[in-house]
Amino acid sequence: MLDQTRAPLYEALKEFNQKRVVPFDVPGHKRGRGNPELTEFLGQQVMNIDVNSMKPLDNLNHPSSVIKEAESLAAEAFGAHHAFFMVNGTTSAVQAMVFATVKRGDKIILPRNVHRSVLNALVLCGAVPVYINPEMNKRLGISLGMSIKSVAQAIAENPDAKAIFVNNPTYYGICSDLESIVKLAHKADMYVLADEAHGTHLYFGENLPQSALAAGCDMAAVSMHKSGGSLTQSSILLINDKVNPDYMRQVINLTSTTSASYLLLSSLDLSRKHMAINGKEIMERVVDLVKYARDEVNEIGDYWALGSELVDGDAVFAFDDTKLTINTLDIGLAGIEVYDLLRDEYDIQMELGDIANILAYVSIGDRKSDLERLVSALVDIRRRYKKDKTGMWTQEYVNPDVVFTPQDAFYGEKEAVSIDDSIGRVCTEFVMAYPPGIPILAPGERITKDIIDYIVYAKEKGCLITGTEDLEVKKLNVLKERRVYGG
């Protein structure tokens, strides 16, 4: 057992900060002296520890001392064989998992409602996606988890696939039956990779859905900066003993910066310490806060703060009770419209708003008074803005028709056409509402009228549509050729 009260990287930085080292290395601001305005804005302490890799502080690309110790502590805290600190966001952790298991031409089974980082990885490595279209909740307009029947069918039809990718949980708190998926995958000699960007807390709380590593997954990418309390862009990649940690380090270093931020690294070290020591109590308090808010919202009328009533033992195997997702359609407003009202008129910033829901991300830093303010604002919005809901859309996901691999489409010869003229063509870029960052269209998918109608509706309601070369999303890039996939 390691001492989880230790924070070796943080301790090394504190010791370094007490010395009067003359910096003839980068960064060029030289402990803040070179940029007084920035130092005044961020604070001297921040500038003092914004340093470069050096022997006393170890090197993230080849750790041998304090970073290695900090990663070992994280591995133990999460119940992993090895942990890697990531400073390029969970995107880099997700992509490292993909790069380590599949290469050009290899198949990977995945739900279509994955984050764009997964499909970006396929663009880069050339692997072939085998999509499992997720189940849908039509009232909420959100995609759910993967049914075991769908996973078993995908494995039977693609026995040569190298890996299965899962979300645990989805942005909205939906969890699949991971243990059963792992058993099916491992029996077929496939790796199981988990995107746990929204599931860091599952490793520390009680009476929450099972974490990926506890369920037997081979790798998991956890966004420590979300529910774990570290700085934005800091993340941890976890692996079990089936994965070679030395090879994984090489894969990570293909895309990782060689100038890792010690602000991010020390925040990972300290947030791991905090969660390892206090995580159980913290998550118990978070669950209580969300339960309070969920009950209060559901008392208002017309709103639906969804919860464990969704659990069906299959596509919704479990529900993450820390998630506060609120369906807004019965007040006649899209989620993104309520999202905008909360920010612009009530100074409340939600995590996301889609065409049917809003999501409040409740974590270790929230207070009951903050949730009371949210509930009061929702009462007021209903009173002031409620209208007839006729014509409101609910669909968050349109099943894609995959024609080419993401890599072949992205790097293929392309042309820009108006969004109306794109119907029937093959898209070569991403189109997504952000957040949550789940592509409406990905490279290699055929554009249909339903998809275009959805994009236009989402734009009209105020969703931020991203991923396209044309920032106004009036044009889409499509393949010049129209031959069929595999032709």
Side-chain angles (χ1 to χ4, degrees):
M1 291 290 292
L2 301 177
D3 183 0
Q4 290 292 335
T5 65
R6 290 280 319 283
L9 182 55
Y10 159 72
E11 292 159 11
L13 278 166
K14 278 189 71 176
E15 182 179 347
F16 172 81
N17 202 24
Q18 291 167 358
K19 297 179 179 179
R20 301 181 64 185
V21 176
V22 179
F24 286 115
D25 61 349
V26 295
H29 60 67
K30 305 294 181 176
R31 313 295 188 264
R33 294 194 301 271
N35 195 335
E37 186 175 12
L38 181 62
T39 303
E40 182 183 3
F41 178 60
L42 295 180
Q44 186 62 56
Q45 176 72 3
V46 168
M47 305 305 280
N48 284 348
I49 62 171
D50 182 35
V51 294
N52 194 28
S53 297
M54 59 187 75
K55 282 188 176 181
L57 299 179
D58 210 351
N59 186 301
L60 182 62
N61 299 111
H62 195 96
S64 59
S65 58
V66 290
I67 293 177
K68 185 177 181 179
E69 291 177 50
E71 289 183 335
S72 295
L73 283 162
E76 183 182 86
F78 282 90
H81 179 61
H82 200 95
F84 300 90
F85 283 4
M86 311 292 290
V87 294
N88 294 29
T90 306
T91 287
S92 63
V94 164
Q95 293 179 348
M97 294 193 300
V98 174
F99 295 154
T101 50
V102 290
K103 60 183 184 299
R104 181 172 174 81
D106 287 343
K107 292 179 183 177
I108 180 170
I109 298 169
L110 67 164
R112 178 53 179 75
N113 61 322
V114 291
H115 189 265
R116 70 166 293 177
S117 58
V118 184
L119 301 182
N120 281 344
L122 302 188
V123 168
L124 293 172
C125 76
V128 179
V130 176
Y131 291 129
I132 295 176
N133 290 321
E135 304 292 320
M136 289 291 301
N137 182 297
K138 292 184 178 179
R139 178 182 170 188
L140 291 169
I142 65 173
S143 47
L144 306 175
M146 294 190 292
S147 73
I148 297 304
K149 181 180 177 181
S150 297
V151 173
Q153 181 179 345
I155 291 174
E157 293 175 354
N158 301 275
D160 54 338
K162 303 295 184 184
I164 295 179
F165 194 96
V166 298
N167 297 313
N168 190 55
T170 69
Y171 221 138
Y172 302 96
I174 307 298
C175 296
S176 301
D177 182 356
L178 278 193
E179 274 197 20
S180 296
I181 291 172
V182 168
K183 287 177 183 176
L184 288 170
H186 284 175
K187 187 177 180 181
D189 199 26
M190 299 177 189
Y191 286 99
V192 183
L193 321 178
D195 180 350
E196 286 192 304
H198 303 284
T200 305
H201 54 285
L202 302 183
Y203 290 87
F204 302 101
E206 291 188 334
N207 302 315
L208 291 173
Q210 196 171 36
S211 70
L213 268 285
C217 292
D218 301 296
M219 308 183 207
V222 296
S223 288
M224 199 65 173
H225 69 91
K226 290 187 171 73
S227 56
S230 64
L231 292 180
T232 296
Q233 199 175 309
S234 59
S235 181
I236 298 178
L237 173 58
L238 307 171
I239 63 173
N240 71 13
D241 56 3
K242 185 180 175 183
V243 181
N244 181 343
D246 299 322
Y247 175 67
M248 180 56 75
R249 174 76 64 188
Q250 286 190 319
V251 172
I252 290 169
N253 287 346
L254 290 174
T255 55
S256 180
T257 177
T258 55
S259 302
S261 166
Y262 278 85
L263 298 172
L264 300 183
L265 292 172
S266 58
S267 79
L268 285 171
D269 201 19
L270 284 171
S271 59
R272 180 274 313 155
K273 173 185 174 182
H274 186 42
M275 292 300 286
I277 297 171
N278 306 305
K280 179 182 175 182
E281 292 76 16
I282 288 169
M283 296 321 304
E284 185 178 351
R285 186 171 65 85
V286 170
V287 169
D288 287 345
L289 283 174
V290 173
K291 183 182 185 307
Y292 159 77
R294 184 181 293 117
D295 291 344
E296 290 294 309
V297 169
N298 286 332
E299 284 292 319
I300 297 171
D302 295 321
Y303 296 109
W304 177 22
L306 57 102
S308 57
E309 68 274 5
L310 291 175
V311 173
D312 61 11
D314 189 23
V316 188
F317 184 76
F319 181 80
D320 178 6
D321 285 324
T322 71
K323 298 293 188 292
L324 181 59
T325 302
I326 303 168
N327 185 264
T328 65
L329 292 181
D330 283 348
I331 65 167
L333 294 176
I336 188 62
E337 292 175 306
V338 177
Y339 171 100
D340 287 338
L341 286 169
L342 286 168
R343 184 195 60 242
D344 296 341
E345 297 195 19
Y346 301 88
D347 293 328
I348 295 173
Q349 180 61 56
M350 302 296 282
E351 171 65 13
L352 72 78
D354 59 26
I355 62 172
N357 309 280
I358 53 174
L359 171 66
Y361 209 101
V362 184
S363 66
I364 61 179
D366 286 300
R367 304 164 297 183
K368 186 176 181 180
S369 58
D370 299 324
L371 291 163
E372 289 171 342
R373 183 171 163 184
L374 171 61
V375 171
S376 296
L378 291 173
V379 171
D380 202 44
I381 288 172
R382 178 179 181 269
R383 178 183 61 82
R384 295 172 60 194
Y385 295 101
K386 181 180 175 179
K387 60 184 180 181
D388 181 50
K389 67 176 182 179
T390 303
M392 300 293 293
W393 282 36
T394 62
Q395 194 169 8
E396 183 258 347
Y397 172 80
V398 181
N399 289 341
D401 175 18
V402 180
V403 185
F404 290 92
T405 67
Q407 186 181 72
D408 286 343
F410 186 85
Y411 290 111
E413 191 176 359
K414 64 194 73 172
E415 61 182 341
V417 300
S418 72
I419 194 167
D420 292 329
D421 292 335
S422 69
I423 296 172
R425 305 292 293 274
V426 177
C427 191
T428 66
E429 59 187 349
F430 290 97
V431 185
M432 71 201 86
Y434 192 86
I438 298 167
I440 303 166
L441 272 171
E445 295 175 358
R446 192 176 302 283
I447 303 166
T448 65
K449 185 177 186 301
D450 284 347
I451 290 172
I452 295 304
D453 288 346
Y454 178 91
I455 292 170
V456 171
Y457 180 85
K459 283 180 63 180
E460 288 174 351
K461 290 298 182 183
C463 292
L464 175 64
I465 306 296
T466 68
T468 53
E469 189 173 312
D470 175 17
L471 296 182
E472 296 182 358
V473 202
K474 292 180 179 179
K475 294 183 177 181
L476 294 178
N477 284 342
V478 298
L479 280 178
K480 283 188 175 182
E481 298 179 335
R482 299 188 185 214
R483 60 190 173 91
V484 259
Y485 178 64

